[in-house]
Structure formats: C-alpha cells, structure tokens
Amino acid sequence: MKKLLLAATAAALLAGTWLAPAQAEYLKEHRGGTIRLLARSAAGTLDPHINYTDQGWQMYQPIYDGLVAFRKAEGMDGFTIVPDLAEALPQVSNDGKTFTFKLRKGIKFSSGQDLGVKDVVASFQRIFKVSGPTSGTFYAGIVGADKCLADTKSCTLEGGVVGDEAAGTITINITKPDAELLYKLALPHAMVLPADTPAEDMGSKPIPSTGAYMISAFDPNKGMTVSRNPNFKQWSEEAQPDGYPDVVQYDFGLSEEAAVTAIQNGEADWMFDALPSDRLGELGSKSMDQLHISPLSAWWYAPLNNRLAPFDNEKARQAVAYAIDRNTLVKLFGGKVLASPVCQVLPPDFPGHEDYC
C-alpha cells in the first residue's frame, strides 16, 4: 500500500469499493499489509455517539454500523441509503411516521458478543443519555425524545424505539413525517453499540464494533491503531465492504509540511489535514503519481448573526457577501481543480444543488 494516496477520504481508502474495476482488481491482488495515515492531532473522543468531527466520522465508516448506511461508492452514488445492520430498507407506515426494520442475523461485535435487538434499542437511548450533539436536532422527532431531552439519565424513548426480540424487528415512531430520517440514521451518531456500553463519554477507550475493522489501540497524543475485526463476515458490499489493509496506523503530531514530506519519501500514505497551499504547484508537477483528488461535497462559510447589529440589517449582510472575493478564496484552497466558488448553502454535487451563482 506504499505511496498510495496523498489526499482522499479514509472511508473510501479502507473500503476501496468505489475504485474502477481495474483498480479494485489491483487492490484485491495486493490485499493486506499496513497503511499509515497522518494528522496534526487526534479528533477528540473515540465515542461515536459524541464525536462530531469530519476526521472522526471518516474513521467510523469501516468500524461501526447503523441500521442503514450511505453506499460506499464514489460521487453522487455515495448519497444513496442502503440497508446495513437491517436486512432491507424499512417498511414505512402510519402516514410516514412509523419505520419498521428487520435486523440481520449472525452479526457479532468485535468483542464476540452477538448483535441483537436490545443493542439497537439501547443505542438509541444512549444517544440521549450521553447528550449527543445531535440528540436535540436530528433525533428530536422520535416519540419520547422530548422526555429524554428533559431528563437524559432516565431516557427510555418509550413508544419511540420499540424492539421485538421474537420477530427480530425494531420499530421507530416519529411525531411527524421526516423525509430526511434515513439520512440521519445513516450518520455515526446513530451507530449501534453493545447494550452494556456505559452511558458516558468513553473518551480514549475503544467501544466494540461490528464493522470490518476495530480500534485496537489509541493514544490521543500519539496515534490510533485500527486492525481487522476477527468476527467480521461481509454481509453487504454496498454498506460495509471488507477492507484491503490488515492494519491502519493513524499517527498524530506531524505538521502539514512534515506530513507531505513523509508521504513523498514513502514513509506514509495519506494525510487528513489540508495540503499547504504553497506546495500545491510542486505536488501537482513533481508528485503526480502520489496525488489523487477525491472531491468533498462540503462548504466553508462565515456565519453572520442576523439578531445582532449590524447584521440584523439585510443591507449589511449583502454588503459582506458582495465584498468577499470568492475567486481569491478558491485560489487559497488550491485553485479550480480543488475548489469552486458558491453562493448558497448546498455545495456542488450535493443533492438539491442548483448552480445559479
């Protein structure tokens, strides 16, 4: 895996299923070994119900699973929701307010525990018990969420998340129809953990997982080691494909400059942090075989509080919008190959985006 990628996403890197057939075949022939990732620092807590960082969420994709997942695919195909721990997408009833999932059988956590209905129910309760950062937004529409937000410790989501052990089903009831619910359930904050996971921030302690990989070591000052989950058997290539490297070594502490140099010298394979803008020209010409571009559907913005002066005045907000040189910002991010100007909330290649700038 030496000198594989300079910039990409860790989820795609580990899964490999979005690659062209010839590339995928190459990687199958070279399955195994260790790949080294680099980042300036750790991404905070390891707890997937609490961590709300791009860096953490990338790593969670091949480690944890939810009832549904985003398809491990390139480009727009990666926005498609597919069944993951659930056998199929849910049966929807009650005018779009009831979602019934059938849980797959035979899945185990990395600890050897069998995955069961109780784990799913407990995980949804835990989102509120640990005061997850999206408990009051993404999951506030679940029946019983209001009581859980008012008293997190006693959260049961009674009537909201109902498990039937005999039938192997989980039913989620929401207070009003939500066309985005499946997308919210595919995010890391809704990933399923063992029912006996403590209802507190686990910090630097890895939690058993169901994915192709597990966190086998972690030191927030040094790095993370991710290795194969010995209990993993691929059930869906779209949702949770078997990975290629046997070990992923994620080291922290190097500056962006040092990380680029390490990759150029074959000492590492990938870096999380943005490439130094003053080295983009050099990398594009001298290191083309190591530089791979994987567009990220995201946007950077400067928020203006429209409740405070002067931005409570629409004209003041418009003045800022007109004054900002978006083309210069694009240059700072590496030019048109790596970025594009935008004048709206939804970035290019994102569902619903219309290019009207």
Side-chain angles (χ1 to χ4, degrees), residues 305-323:
N305 190 337
N306 61 9
R307 296 183 180 180
L308 299 177
F311 298 123
D312 56 349
N313 185 321
E314 181 182 14
K315 295 297 183 182
R317 300 195 298 272
Q318 290 176 340
V320 172
Y322 292 143

PDB file of all heavy atoms in Angstrom, residues 305-323:
ATOM      1  N   ASN A 305     -24.515  36.681  12.464  1.00  0.00           N
ATOM      2  CA  ASN A 305     -25.633  36.630  13.407  1.00  0.00           C
ATOM      3  C   ASN A 305     -26.632  37.737  13.054  1.00  0.00           C
ATOM      4  O   ASN A 305     -26.397  38.923  13.321  1.00  0.00           O
ATOM      5  CB  ASN A 305     -25.133  36.807  14.843  1.00  0.00           C
ATOM      6  CG  ASN A 305     -26.223  36.515  15.861  1.00  0.00           C
ATOM      7  OD1 ASN A 305     -27.412  36.586  15.560  1.00  0.00           O
ATOM      8  ND2 ASN A 305     -25.821  36.170  17.075  1.00  0.00           N
ATOM      9  N   ASN A 306     -27.763  37.346  12.453  1.00  0.00           N
ATOM     10  CA  ASN A 306     -28.730  38.350  11.999  1.00  0.00           C
ATOM     11  C   ASN A 306     -29.622  38.875  13.129  1.00  0.00           C
ATOM     12  O   ASN A 306     -30.570  39.607  12.884  1.00  0.00           O
ATOM     13  CB  ASN A 306     -29.586  37.807  10.854  1.00  0.00           C
ATOM     14  CG  ASN A 306     -30.388  36.585  11.249  1.00  0.00           C
ATOM     15  OD1 ASN A 306     -30.445  36.212  12.417  1.00  0.00           O
ATOM     16  ND2 ASN A 306     -31.014  35.962  10.259  1.00  0.00           N
ATOM     17  N   ARG A 307     -29.281  38.502  14.372  1.00  0.00           N
ATOM     18  CA  ARG A 307     -30.009  39.058  15.511  1.00  0.00           C
ATOM     19  C   ARG A 307     -29.253  40.211  16.162  1.00  0.00           C
ATOM     20  O   ARG A 307     -29.766  40.869  17.061  1.00  0.00           O
ATOM     21  CB  ARG A 307     -30.267  37.960  16.550  1.00  0.00           C
ATOM     22  CG  ARG A 307     -31.172  36.845  16.038  1.00  0.00           C
ATOM     23  CD  ARG A 307     -31.446  35.826  17.131  1.00  0.00           C
ATOM     24  NE  ARG A 307     -32.322  34.753  16.660  1.00  0.00           N
ATOM     25  CZ  ARG A 307     -32.734  33.729  17.412  1.00  0.00           C
ATOM     26  NH1 ARG A 307     -32.343  33.655  18.675  1.00  0.00           N
ATOM     27  NH2 ARG A 307     -33.520  32.808  16.908  1.00  0.00           N
ATOM     28  N   LEU A 308     -28.000  40.411  15.729  1.00  0.00           N
ATOM     29  CA  LEU A 308     -27.173  41.467  16.312  1.00  0.00           C
ATOM     30  C   LEU A 308     -26.756  42.463  15.235  1.00  0.00           C
ATOM     31  O   LEU A 308     -26.521  42.093  14.091  1.00  0.00           O
ATOM     32  CB  LEU A 308     -25.926  40.860  16.965  1.00  0.00           C
ATOM     33  CG  LEU A 308     -26.149  39.875  18.123  1.00  0.00           C
ATOM     34  CD1 LEU A 308     -24.807  39.310  18.590  1.00  0.00           C
ATOM     35  CD2 LEU A 308     -26.870  40.557  19.281  1.00  0.00           C
ATOM     36  N   ALA A 309     -26.654  43.724  15.637  1.00  0.00           N
ATOM     37  CA  ALA A 309     -26.176  44.759  14.714  1.00  0.00           C
ATOM     38  C   ALA A 309     -24.701  44.513  14.396  1.00  0.00           C
ATOM     39  O   ALA A 309     -23.953  44.028  15.240  1.00  0.00           O
ATOM     40  CB  ALA A 309     -26.363  46.133  15.350  1.00  0.00           C
ATOM     41  N   PRO A 310     -24.230  44.817  13.198  1.00  0.00           N
ATOM     42  CA  PRO A 310     -25.007  45.428  12.102  1.00  0.00           C
ATOM     43  C   PRO A 310     -25.719  44.403  11.218  1.00  0.00           C
ATOM     44  O   PRO A 310     -26.405  44.780  10.272  1.00  0.00           O
ATOM     45  CB  PRO A 310     -23.925  46.148  11.314  1.00  0.00           C
ATOM     46  CG  PRO A 310     -22.739  45.232  11.430  1.00  0.00           C
ATOM     47  CD  PRO A 310     -22.805  44.694  12.842  1.00  0.00           C
ATOM     48  N   PHE A 311     -25.555  43.117  11.537  1.00  0.00           N
ATOM     49  CA  PHE A 311     -26.063  42.109  10.605  1.00  0.00           C
ATOM     50  C   PHE A 311     -27.545  41.807  10.779  1.00  0.00           C
ATOM     51  O   PHE A 311     -28.082  40.917  10.125  1.00  0.00           O
ATOM     52  CB  PHE A 311     -25.226  40.832  10.715  1.00  0.00           C
ATOM     53  CG  PHE A 311     -23.781  41.045  10.358  1.00  0.00           C
ATOM     54  CD1 PHE A 311     -22.767  40.734  11.239  1.00  0.00           C
ATOM     55  CD2 PHE A 311     -23.445  41.626   9.139  1.00  0.00           C
ATOM     56  CE1 PHE A 311     -21.442  40.968  10.916  1.00  0.00           C
ATOM     57  CE2 PHE A 311     -22.120  41.870   8.800  1.00  0.00           C
ATOM     58  CZ  PHE A 311     -21.111  41.540   9.699  1.00  0.00           C
ATOM     59  N   ASP A 312     -28.225  42.557  11.647  1.00  0.00           N
ATOM     60  CA  ASP A 312     -29.680  42.493  11.671  1.00  0.00           C
ATOM     61  C   ASP A 312     -30.265  43.305  10.516  1.00  0.00           C
ATOM     62  O   ASP A 312     -31.463  43.287  10.272  1.00  0.00           O
ATOM     63  CB  ASP A 312     -30.232  42.990  13.009  1.00  0.00           C
ATOM     64  CG  ASP A 312     -29.761  44.401  13.354  1.00  0.00           C
ATOM     65  OD1 ASP A 312     -28.853  44.920  12.677  1.00  0.00           O
ATOM     66  OD2 ASP A 312     -30.296  44.972  14.318  1.00  0.00           O
ATOM     67  N   ASN A 313     -29.376  43.979   9.808  1.00  0.00           N
ATOM     68  CA  ASN A 313     -29.752  44.762   8.627  1.00  0.00           C
ATOM     69  C   ASN A 313     -29.382  43.963   7.376  1.00  0.00           C
ATOM     70  O   ASN A 313     -28.213  43.623   7.164  1.00  0.00           O
ATOM     71  CB  ASN A 313     -29.019  46.101   8.642  1.00  0.00           C
ATOM     72  CG  ASN A 313     -29.453  47.025   7.512  1.00  0.00           C
ATOM     73  OD1 ASN A 313     -29.692  46.575   6.389  1.00  0.00           O
ATOM     74  ND2 ASN A 313     -29.536  48.309   7.817  1.00  0.00           N
ATOM     75  N   GLU A 314     -30.371  43.670   6.558  1.00  0.00           N
ATOM     76  CA  GLU A 314     -30.131  42.870   5.351  1.00  0.00           C
ATOM     77  C   GLU A 314     -29.080  43.514   4.447  1.00  0.00           C
ATOM     78  O   GLU A 314     -28.262  42.811   3.843  1.00  0.00           O
ATOM     79  CB  GLU A 314     -31.440  42.685   4.574  1.00  0.00           C
ATOM     80  CG  GLU A 314     -31.279  41.849   3.315  1.00  0.00           C
ATOM     81  CD  GLU A 314     -32.570  41.717   2.534  1.00  0.00           C
ATOM     82  OE1 GLU A 314     -33.527  42.479   2.825  1.00  0.00           O
ATOM     83  OE2 GLU A 314     -32.626  40.852   1.629  1.00  0.00           O
ATOM     84  N   LYS A 315     -29.074  44.830   4.371  1.00  0.00           N
ATOM     85  CA  LYS A 315     -28.121  45.515   3.502  1.00  0.00           C
ATOM     86  C   LYS A 315     -26.676  45.271   3.977  1.00  0.00           C
ATOM     87  O   LYS A 315     -25.759  45.154   3.164  1.00  0.00           O
ATOM     88  CB  LYS A 315     -28.407  47.016   3.479  1.00  0.00           C
ATOM     89  CG  LYS A 315     -29.747  47.384   2.861  1.00  0.00           C
ATOM     90  CD  LYS A 315     -29.805  46.976   1.387  1.00  0.00           C
ATOM     91  CE  LYS A 315     -31.123  47.399   0.745  1.00  0.00           C
ATOM     92  NZ  LYS A 315     -31.213  46.956  -0.679  1.00  0.00           N
ATOM     93  N   ALA A 316     -26.473  45.181   5.287  1.00  0.00           N
ATOM     94  CA  ALA A 316     -25.136  44.926   5.824  1.00  0.00           C
ATOM     95  C   ALA A 316     -24.679  43.516   5.449  1.00  0.00           C
ATOM     96  O   ALA A 316     -23.513  43.305   5.093  1.00  0.00           O
ATOM     97  CB  ALA A 316     -25.139  45.101   7.341  1.00  0.00           C
ATOM     98  N   ARG A 317     -25.604  42.571   5.521  1.00  0.00           N
ATOM     99  CA  ARG A 317     -25.252  41.205   5.149  1.00  0.00           C
ATOM    100  C   ARG A 317     -24.939  41.114   3.662  1.00  0.00           C
ATOM    101  O   ARG A 317     -23.994  40.425   3.237  1.00  0.00           O
ATOM    102  CB  ARG A 317     -26.385  40.246   5.521  1.00  0.00           C
ATOM    103  CG  ARG A 317     -26.709  40.221   7.014  1.00  0.00           C
ATOM    104  CD  ARG A 317     -27.553  39.017   7.392  1.00  0.00           C
ATOM    105  NE  ARG A 317     -28.850  38.982   6.733  1.00  0.00           N
ATOM    106  CZ  ARG A 317     -29.950  39.562   7.199  1.00  0.00           C
ATOM    107  NH1 ARG A 317     -29.890  40.271   8.333  1.00  0.00           N
ATOM    108  NH2 ARG A 317     -31.100  39.460   6.563  1.00  0.00           N
ATOM    109  N   GLN A 318     -25.718  41.816   2.862  1.00  0.00           N
ATOM    110  CA  GLN A 318     -25.461  41.824   1.416  1.00  0.00           C
ATOM    111  C   GLN A 318     -24.123  42.480   1.100  1.00  0.00           C
ATOM    112  O   GLN A 318     -23.407  42.033   0.201  1.00  0.00           O
ATOM    113  CB  GLN A 318     -26.598  42.548   0.693  1.00  0.00           C
ATOM    114  CG  GLN A 318     -27.910  41.789   0.689  1.00  0.00           C
ATOM    115  CD  GLN A 318     -29.036  42.577   0.037  1.00  0.00           C
ATOM    116  OE1 GLN A 318     -28.956  43.802  -0.088  1.00  0.00           O
ATOM    117  NE2 GLN A 318     -30.076  41.884  -0.382  1.00  0.00           N
ATOM    118  N   ALA A 319     -23.765  43.510   1.853  1.00  0.00           N
ATOM    119  CA  ALA A 319     -22.502  44.214   1.617  1.00  0.00           C
ATOM    120  C   ALA A 319     -21.323  43.267   1.825  1.00  0.00           C
ATOM    121  O   ALA A 319     -20.358  43.268   1.047  1.00  0.00           O
ATOM    122  CB  ALA A 319     -22.391  45.416   2.552  1.00  0.00           C
ATOM    123  N   VAL A 320     -21.390  42.436   2.883  1.00  0.00           N
ATOM    124  CA  VAL A 320     -20.331  41.455   3.131  1.00  0.00           C
ATOM    125  C   VAL A 320     -20.275  40.442   1.995  1.00  0.00           C
ATOM    126  O   VAL A 320     -19.195  40.086   1.493  1.00  0.00           O
ATOM    127  CB  VAL A 320     -20.553  40.746   4.484  1.00  0.00           C
ATOM    128  CG1 VAL A 320     -19.559  39.594   4.653  1.00  0.00           C
ATOM    129  CG2 VAL A 320     -20.403  41.735   5.635  1.00  0.00           C
ATOM    130  N   ALA A 321     -21.439  39.981   1.573  1.00  0.00           N
ATOM    131  CA  ALA A 321     -21.499  38.987   0.503  1.00  0.00           C
ATOM    132  C   ALA A 321     -20.894  39.535  -0.789  1.00  0.00           C
ATOM    133  O   ALA A 321     -20.171  38.831  -1.503  1.00  0.00           O
ATOM    134  CB  ALA A 321     -22.948  38.554   0.261  1.00  0.00           C
ATOM    135  N   TYR A 322     -21.168  40.826  -1.079  1.00  0.00           N
ATOM    136  CA  TYR A 322     -20.625  41.431  -2.290  1.00  0.00           C
ATOM    137  C   TYR A 322     -19.124  41.694  -2.169  1.00  0.00           C
ATOM    138  O   TYR A 322     -18.386  41.657  -3.155  1.00  0.00           O
ATOM    139  CB  TYR A 322     -21.355  42.744  -2.589  1.00  0.00           C
ATOM    140  CG  TYR A 322     -22.799  42.584  -2.982  1.00  0.00           C
ATOM    141  CD1 TYR A 322     -23.769  43.495  -2.567  1.00  0.00           C
ATOM    142  CD2 TYR A 322     -23.205  41.508  -3.780  1.00  0.00           C
ATOM    143  CE1 TYR A 322     -25.103  43.347  -2.920  1.00  0.00           C
ATOM    144  CE2 TYR A 322     -24.527  41.352  -4.130  1.00  0.00           C
ATOM    145  CZ  TYR A 322     -25.473  42.268  -3.709  1.00  0.00           C
ATOM    146  OH  TYR A 322     -26.792  42.112  -4.056  1.00  0.00           O
ATOM    147  N   ALA A 323     -18.659  41.980  -0.954  1.00  0.00           N
ATOM    148  CA  ALA A 323     -17.260  42.368  -0.744  1.00  0.00           C
ATOM    149  C   ALA A 323     -16.303  41.173  -0.799  1.00  0.00           C
ATOM    150  O   ALA A 323     -15.132  41.330  -1.159  1.00  0.00           O
ATOM    151  CB  ALA A 323     -17.117  43.075   0.594  1.00  0.00           C
TER     152      ALA A 323
END
